Amino acid sequence: MSDEQLWRSRIVDVLDFPSEGVVFKDISPLLAHHDAFSAAVDAVVAHHLEAAVDKVVGIEARGFIVAAPAAYRLGAGFVPVRKPGKLPGPTHEEAYSLEYGANVLQVHRDAFSPGERVLIVDDVLATGGTAAAAARLVFTAGAEVVGFSVLLELGFLAGRAALAAQHPGVPVHALLEY
Amino acid sequence: MSDEQLWRSRIVDVLDFPSEGVVFKDISPLLAHHDAFSAAVDAVVAHHLEAAVDKVVGIEARGFIVAAPAAYRLGAGFVPVRKPGKLPGPTHEEAYSLEYGANVLQVHRDAFSPGERVLIVDDVLATGGTAAAAARLVFTAGAEVVGFSVLLELGFLAGRAALAAQHPGVPVHALLEY
C-alpha cells in the first residue's frame, strides 16, 4: 500500500459534525497509526528539508498535532497561533471571516525575529482563512512565510486560491486533496 | 550551557494568568527555540526508547505540542485526549476535579486496542488530575500505561503523589521541577 492509500484508508467521514449538514474528515485514525503518522509528518516537511526553516507555526488545536512534529523533524522552533485569551504574554491578533461572523487568532509579539523563515503547518486547508491570518501574523513581526503545508486540502472550498490571492508566491503543499 | 540551563532560561513566569494570584509558567520561549525544543522532545522520550511504545497520548491543547513530536520520535501513533465536544466519533469520558468544580476529558472509543503500551505526555504536571484521568481512559480501553512524561513538574502541587496513589507502579518523569 502506498503512503497515500494508507492515509486515505485512515481518514473517516463523520456526518453532521460539528454541525448538521457538514461532513467532517476525521484524521484521528491516521494520527493513531504509527506508520501513517510518521510518513505524514515526513511528507509535510519534504519540500522544506533543504531550505533553512527557523520556525514552524501551528494553529490551535489540531494543527499542533502535525505542526509540532514537523518543527521537530526540521530542527526548527515551534510557535503556537491560538484563540483569544490562551496566550499569557502580549500578542498580535488577526481576524478572519467565517460563514457567519469572524474569529480571531493571536500570536505572542516576541514569537518571531525579523527575517526569520517560517513554515505554516495545519491539518486541513479549507477556505484558507486561518492559514492566511496566521501568515499575516508572521508578516506583522517582520518574518517571512516560506510555505503552507497541510495534510489534506478540501479543494471545493478554494483555500489554495484564497492563499494565492493574499500571499502570492508562497507555495502551498497538501498531502491529499478531496 | 546544559540542556537544563537552556530550558530554565526559556521558561517565563507570567503573573496573574490565567487568573489573579496565579503565576503561570510560560514555555513558549522554550518551544520557539530550536535547540531547546528538540532537546526537550528527546528528553521526554529518553526513558522509553528501549520499550516498545505503541501510542502516545497528548492532552489538549498545549500537551499536543510536546506529545505529538514525542510520538513521532518513538515511531508511535498519536492519540488526542480532548475537552467535550471536540472529538467527532463515539467517546469514553472521565471527569477530574478542579479547585472549583470538575472538568471532563474524552477519547475516541476506538483509539486503543487491548494490550497496547501507551505513554502519556503533557507539558506540565500540576495536581495530576488531567494525567490521572487520561490514564483511566487508557485503562478503560484495556490498554496499558507505561509511563507519564512531562516537561515541567510543579512540585508544590503534589501531582506525582496523586498519580502514584491512583496508578501505582507507573513511572513519572519530568525534565524540570519547580
Side-chain angles (χ1 to χ4, degrees):
Chain A
M1 197 187 291
S2 72
D3 284 343
E4 178 166 346
Q5 288 170 322
L6 175 61
W7 294 326
R8 286 192 186 268
S9 74
R10 301 189 69 90
I11 295 175
V12 178
D13 282 351
V14 180
L15 303 183
D16 297 326
F17 185 90
S19 54
E20 204 174 318
V22 177
V23 179
F24 183 82
K25 296 279 179 196
D26 181 19
I27 61 168
S28 305
L30 187 162
L31 302 174
H33 187 283
H34 60 104
D35 282 340
F37 179 57
S38 184
V41 172
D42 289 343
V44 157
V45 301
H47 293 90
H48 301 279
L49 291 173
E50 304 304 319
V53 172
D54 296 303
K55 284 172 181 163
V56 173
V57 162
I59 301 168
E60 181 172 8
R62 265 192 312 275
F64 293 174
I65 300 171
V66 186
Y72 176 79
R73 174 67 183 80
L74 290 171
F78 176 81
V79 173
V81 164
R82 302 204 62 175
K83 289 154 194 163
K86 300 294 186 69
L87 291 168
T91 60
H92 292 298
E93 63 181 49
E94 283 285 340
Y96 61 98
S97 305
L98 298 171
E99 198 176 359
Y100 301 102
N103 268 359
V104 171
L105 290 177
Q106 298 184 326
V107 74
H108 273 149
R109 282 175 186 256
D110 62 0
F112 307 103
S113 301
E116 281 189 325
R117 295 165 54 81
V118 179
L119 177 65
I120 297 176
V121 172
D122 209 355
D123 57 337
V124 175
L125 175 61
T127 65
T130 55
R136 293 196 299 276
L137 290 169
V138 174
F139 288 124
T140 298
E144 179 189 354
V145 177
V146 298
F148 299 99
S149 195
V150 300
L151 287 191
L152 62 99
E153 176 179 0
L154 305 178
F156 59 93
L157 291 173
R160 188 178 286 261
L163 288 178
Q166 287 190 56
H167 303 294
V170 179
V172 180
H173 293 105
L175 273 53
L176 303 172
E177 192 187 337
Y178 284 88
Chain B
M1 196 187 293
S2 71
D3 284 342
E4 177 166 347
Q5 288 170 323
L6 175 61
W7 294 327
R8 286 191 185 270
S9 75
R10 300 189 70 87
I11 295 175
V12 177
D13 283 352
V14 180
L15 303 182
D16 297 325
F17 184 89
S19 53
E20 204 175 319
V22 175
V23 179
F24 183 82
K25 295 281 180 194
D26 181 18
I27 61 168
S28 305
L30 186 161
L31 302 174
H33 187 283
H34 60 106
D35 284 340
F37 179 56
S38 183
V41 172
D42 289 342
V44 156
V45 302
H47 293 90
H48 301 279
L49 291 173
E50 303 304 319
V53 172
D54 296 302
K55 284 173 181 161
V56 173
V57 162
I59 301 168
E60 182 173 8
R62 264 193 312 276
F64 293 173
I65 300 171
V66 186
Y72 176 79
R73 174 66 184 81
L74 289 170
F78 176 81
V79 174
V81 163
R82 302 204 63 175
K83 288 153 195 163
K86 301 293 186 73
L87 290 168
T91 59
H92 292 298
E93 62 180 52
E94 284 284 340
Y96 62 96
S97 305
L98 298 172
E99 196 177 359
Y100 302 100
N103 268 0
V104 170
L105 290 177
Q106 297 184 325
V107 74
H108 273 149
R109 282 175 185 256
D110 62 359
F112 308 104
S113 301
E116 282 188 324
R117 295 165 54 81
V118 179
L119 177 65
I120 296 175
V121 172
D122 208 356
D123 58 336
V124 175
L125 175 61
T127 65
T130 54
R136 293 196 300 276
L137 290 169
V138 174
F139 288 125
T140 298
E144 179 189 354
V145 178
V146 299
F148 299 99
S149 196
V150 299
L151 287 191
L152 62 98
E153 177 179 359
L154 304 178
F156 60 93
L157 291 173
R160 188 178 286 262
L163 288 178
Q166 287 189 56
H167 302 295
V170 179
V172 180
H173 293 105
L175 273 53
L176 303 172
E177 192 187 336
Y178 284 90

